[in-house]
Amino acid sequence: MENRIENYKEYQFEYSKIGQKPAVLCKKITARAKWGYKIEFNYFFSNEEKANQFVLDFKKKIDLWENRKQEEKNKKKEQLKKGLENDILKVGDIYYSSWGYEQTNIDFYQIIEVKGQYATFREICSKEVEGSMYSHGMACQVVPVKDSFHGEPIKKKMRFSEGGASCNISTCQYLGLYTSGEKGLYKSWYN
């Protein structure tokens, strides 16, 4: 095996021979890395055929990964297009967030403005569903009270999927469309 360098997409393969064993060093060229590249692998092989086969298999994995990334990108674009065409986001729609540790907090938000894939929310109050208090006294069902705003507006970029639109409003809060009607959502607390 002669010493040579082969480029493939953003990868560089350096073929060499250390003693009698062929070796291949693979670098991924990237501006984000400290030295301008990241080492993917640096392997010795028992013979040249195994080295060449390993590189071919690695190139196939690169192609599969890039195809999968492109498919996901196209799917997100299509979902965004469908979401905007179908007017999934509507002023007045109510979204909720269920969060907490050792308890279940429910926060409701109402859309007050929509611009493209951005929605502006304001938090709204909730009320207990009559007769829904659990026997232990620390849980009940709650429903939103439309137009009972409190808190400041929050503008968020929405993600679209088959199930509708959603977004994160913090590291522990995810907003999804409220669809439970008068049944409400489970809320618990500790005294």
Side-chain angles (χ1 to χ4, degrees), residues 1 4 13-16 21-25 41 43-59:
M1 173 180 275
R4 71 181 198 277
F13 298 94
E14 295 180 11
Y15 296 86
S16 61
K21 291 189 171 189
V24 181
L25 169 66
F41 64 83
Y43 295 147
F44 290 99
F45 297 90
S46 57
N47 58 48
E48 286 184 40
E49 291 78 31
K50 287 184 179 180
N52 292 332
Q53 187 60 49
F54 186 86
V55 170
L56 283 174
D57 292 343
F58 189 79
K59 288 178 181 178

Side-chain angles (χ1 to χ4, degrees), residues 76-118:
K76 282 184 181 179
K77 280 183 184 179
E78 187 63 33
Q79 288 172 341
L80 173 62
K81 185 179 173 186
K82 281 181 184 178
L84 295 176
E85 285 174 355
N86 296 336
D87 292 327
I88 289 177
L89 300 174
K90 295 181 187 79
V91 172
D93 280 354
I94 296 174
Y95 282 69
Y96 76 97
S97 173
S98 174
W99 60 282
Y101 180 77
E102 292 187 352
Q103 64 185 32
T104 306
N105 301 302
I106 302 291
D107 295 333
F108 292 103
Y109 294 84
Q110 187 173 327
I111 294 180
I112 57 172
E113 182 182 29
V114 175
K115 285 187 180 175
Q117 70 183 97
Y118 289 87

Side-chain angles (χ1 to χ4, degrees), residues 88-97 106-114 118-126 143-156 158 167 169 175-178:
I88 289 177
L89 300 174
K90 295 181 187 79
V91 172
D93 280 354
I94 296 174
Y95 282 69
Y96 76 97
S97 173
I106 302 291
D107 295 333
F108 292 103
Y109 294 84
Q110 187 173 327
I111 294 180
I112 57 172
E113 182 182 29
V114 175
Y118 289 87
T120 304
F121 295 91
R122 277 196 65 196
E123 191 169 357
I124 57 175
C125 296
S126 63
V143 293
V145 179
K146 194 168 182 160
D147 299 324
S148 61
F149 299 109
H150 64 91
E152 296 299 314
I154 304 167
K155 186 175 185 177
K156 289 291 174 181
M158 302 299 284
C167 70
I169 58 170
L175 283 184
L177 184 63
Y178 176 73

Side-chain angles (χ1 to χ4, degrees), residues 8-20:
Y8 183 76
K9 299 186 179 182
E10 69 268 16
Y11 294 86
Q12 187 177 70
F13 298 94
E14 295 180 11
Y15 296 86
S16 61
K17 203 165 201 174
I18 310 290
Q20 294 299 316

Side-chain angles (χ1 to χ4, degrees), residues 21 74 97-98 111 126 129-130 137-138 144 162 164 166 180 182:
K21 291 189 171 189
N74 292 341
S97 173
S98 174
I111 294 180
S126 63
V129 173
E130 199 172 311
M138 293 187 292
E162 300 298 322
S166 63
S180 295
E182 294 302 313

